[in-house]
Amino acid sequence: MEKKRYNIAVEATLEVIGGKWKCVILCHLTHGKKRTNELKKLMPNITQKMLTQQLRELEDDGVINRISYNQVPPKVEYELSEYGKSLQSILDSLCAWGESHITKVYGDKHDVLEESILNQK
């Protein structure tokens, strides 16, 4: 494997959790294991193809675990790996900054944030 070169360490972070959906997926997984269809319901604007791609990339990077149960019909769940749990403070900071930003731009955050377990902190 060829060694990568980064100009600044945040590039390495963004390579793993960057993009529109990865942090959202990770935030949902901080609340426990989820099946693919559960994640899809929590993120109705993501396509199935994109969800599958993002889950595979997060798994390849060792941030989440894919748990396959040997049963019929097949059952697969995703959870944060121990390595992925080390992102908790980053995810919390991103959420806190996002709430502050929403309040600054829109006023009452409840006017623009969907009702969700993630928004009840």
Side-chain angles (χ1 to χ4, degrees):
M1 183 164 145
E2 188 178 324
K3 214 182 253 191
K4 287 205 101 164
R5 303 283 299 168
Y6 301 101
N7 291 312
I8 186 170
V10 73
E11 289 179 47
T13 306
L14 292 174
E15 187 173 61
V16 175
I17 65 169
K20 182 175 180 179
W21 297 108
K22 287 183 179 178
C23 283
V24 178
I25 292 168
L26 293 171
C27 284
H28 285 299
L29 292 179
T30 63
H31 292 274
K33 293 178 188 174
K34 300 278 185 285
R35 296 181 72 171
T36 308
N37 63 343
E38 290 177 283
L39 288 167
K40 181 74 177 96
K41 286 178 188 171
L42 291 166
M43 300 181 301
N45 294 327
I46 192 172
T47 64
Q48 187 63 47
K49 179 182 175 184
M50 181 58 69
L51 177 59
T52 301
Q53 177 184 332
Q54 300 292 275
L55 288 168
R56 283 187 184 141
E57 289 176 12
L58 289 166
E59 182 185 9
D60 289 344
D61 287 326
V63 177
I64 64 171
N65 296 322
R66 181 181 189 269
I67 305 159
S68 261
Y69 297 92
N70 190 13
Q71 65 182 50
V72 177
K75 178 180 175 184
V76 175
E77 291 181 320
Y78 294 91
E79 68 179 0
L80 287 178
S81 66
E82 284 303 311
Y83 184 54
K85 289 176 184 174
S86 69
L87 291 166
Q88 184 72 53
S89 63
I90 293 170
L91 297 170
D92 289 344
S93 294
L94 286 169
C95 286
W97 189 90
E99 282 192 21
S100 296
H101 175 71
I102 288 169
T103 301
K104 178 180 187 256
V105 173
Y106 300 101
D108 186 359
K109 69 180 182 179
H110 297 97
D111 291 341
V112 293
L113 273 178
E114 297 285 340
E115 280 192 39
S116 163
I117 189 168
L118 297 177
N119 297 327
Q120 295 178 3
K121 283 186 176 182

